[in-house]
Amino acid sequence: NAGVTQTPKFRVLKTGQSMTLLCAQDMNHEYMYWYRQDPGMGLRLIHYSVGEGTTAKGEVPDGYNVSRLKKQNFLLGLESAAPSQTSVYFCASSYLYRSADSGNTIYFGEGSWLTVV
Amino acid sequence: AQKVTQAQTEISVVEKEDVTLDCVYETRDTTYYLFWYKQPPSGELVFLIRRNSFDEQNEISGRYSWNFQKSTSSFNFTITASQVVDSAVYFCALFSPRSQGNLIFGKGTKLSVKP
C-alpha cells in the first residue's frame, strides 16, 4: 500500500548544483503534481501532468523542469539550485474526476525537504 | 481566476473550546471540488474532506463539521470541543476539473490548542 512515494526525503545542495526529485505512484493515476510549501505561502503548484508524456506549468515553474516518461513517475529537476528554492516539496497524484466520486481523490507524498546553501 | 482565501493566519484556543476555520473561494466554474487538509507538526498532509459543488449538504464527522454555502462561496470547518491533538495547520483547497491540474490551496490556518 505504497501510494505516493517521494525520494529523497532530505537533501542539502550547494548553490548551482543540480538534482532530481522522484515521485512514484502505484495507483494508476492520470494526474500528477509537484508543489512547494514555504512558510506563510501555503502550497503552490510548480508543474503538473495530466498524463504520460505531458507536462504543464503551474503557478511557480521558474527554475524547475519536469518529465513524465512513465505514467507512474513524475520527476522534478533543479538544473542550477538557488537558495530561493529551499523549500518542502510535495508530490501528489489523482485520477480523473467522476461526479459520483466521494472521499479523497488527491493523494500526497510525505514531502521532500530541500535546503540550498 | 481561481482563488482560495483563508483569512485567519493563526488561531489559538484552549482545549474544549469550539473553533471555526474560514475558507472563501473564487471560481467561475460550475463544477468544482473543495477540500480540507490537516498538516500536523510531522509535516504530512492528511485528507479530511472533499465536497462537490453540487452537494451543499453540511457534513459532520465526529467532532468535525463543515458548512458549505455556495451563496457566499464559503466552506468553513468547525472543530467542536477542540483537543491538543487538533493543533496543526489546516488547508482549504479548490479543484476544477475543467482546469485540469489547477489545484489551488489557501495559505493555511495554524491552529494551536492549549491544554
Side-chain angles (χ1 to χ4, degrees):
Chain A
N1 191 21
V4 179
T5 304
Q6 295 180 224
T7 53
K9 286 191 168 37
F10 301 95
R11 183 77 185 269
V12 178
L13 282 179
K14 293 183 179 179
T15 297
Q17 284 186 320
S18 63
M19 77 158 294
T20 299
L21 292 171
L22 170 64
C23 178
Q25 52 98 0
D26 60 2
M27 297 171 282
N28 202 34
H29 284 169
E30 293 293 333
Y31 293 176
M32 295 188 75
Y33 316 83
W34 275 108
Y35 293 88
R36 60 177 289 171
Q37 182 179 18
D38 303 294
M41 299 297 293
L43 277 80
R44 293 181 293 170
L45 184 64
I46 304 171
H47 286 280
Y48 65 98
S49 169
V50 300
E52 181 179 327
T54 71
T55 63
K57 295 180 180 179
E59 181 185 355
V60 288
D62 294 342
Y64 304 95
N65 57 74
V66 288
S67 64
R68 183 106 181 261
L69 298 179
K70 294 182 179 180
K71 187 177 184 179
Q72 64 268 34
N73 295 336
F74 194 31
L75 279 63
L76 178 71
L78 286 71
E79 291 183 344
S80 179
S84 61
Q85 293 177 304
T86 294
S87 189
V88 182
Y89 292 86
F90 284 95
C91 177
S93 71
S94 71
Y95 54 79
L96 295 174
Y97 282 77
R98 298 177 289 273
S99 60
D101 287 340
S102 62
N104 191 20
T105 48
I106 302 174
Y107 297 80
F108 285 87
E110 294 183 339
S112 296
W113 276 253
L114 176 64
T115 301
V116 183
V117 297
Chain B
Q2 297 188 104
K3 185 178 179 182
V4 175
T5 302
Q6 294 180 255
Q8 305 148 309
T9 305
E10 292 192 40
I11 300 175
S12 182
V13 299
V14 176
E15 208 169 18
K16 298 184 183 178
E17 284 186 19
D18 298 348
V19 59
T20 296
L21 309 182
D22 298 332
C23 173
V24 174
Y25 63 93
E26 295 176 27
T27 181
R28 294 180 182 175
D29 294 323
T30 55
T31 300
Y32 52 89
Y33 303 85
L34 296 163
F35 297 80
W36 275 96
Y37 285 89
K38 173 183 180 180
Q39 187 176 43
S42 51
E44 74 274 22
L45 288 160
V46 179
F47 168 80
L48 295 177
I49 191 172
R50 162 188 154 174
R51 176 60 73 218
N52 304 337
S53 57
F54 45 84
D55 180 5
E56 283 194 74
Q57 277 191 330
N58 292 329
E59 180 150 344
I60 298 174
S61 176
R63 296 184 297 106
Y64 296 170
S65 62
W66 290 269
N67 183 358
F68 177 32
Q69 291 194 343
K70 290 179 74 171
S71 60
T72 55
S73 297
S74 64
F75 187 43
N76 296 337
F77 172 33
T78 298
I79 301 175
T80 303
S82 60
Q83 300 176 0
V84 173
V85 293
D86 296 327
S87 296
V89 179
Y90 291 86
F91 291 99
C92 180
L94 167 68
F95 180 91
S96 167
R98 194 163 67 118
S99 302
Q100 295 186 321
N102 201 10
L103 175 62
I104 300 296
F105 280 82
K107 294 185 177 181
T109 297
K110 182 178 181 180
L111 174 65
S112 298
V113 182
K114 302 186 186 308

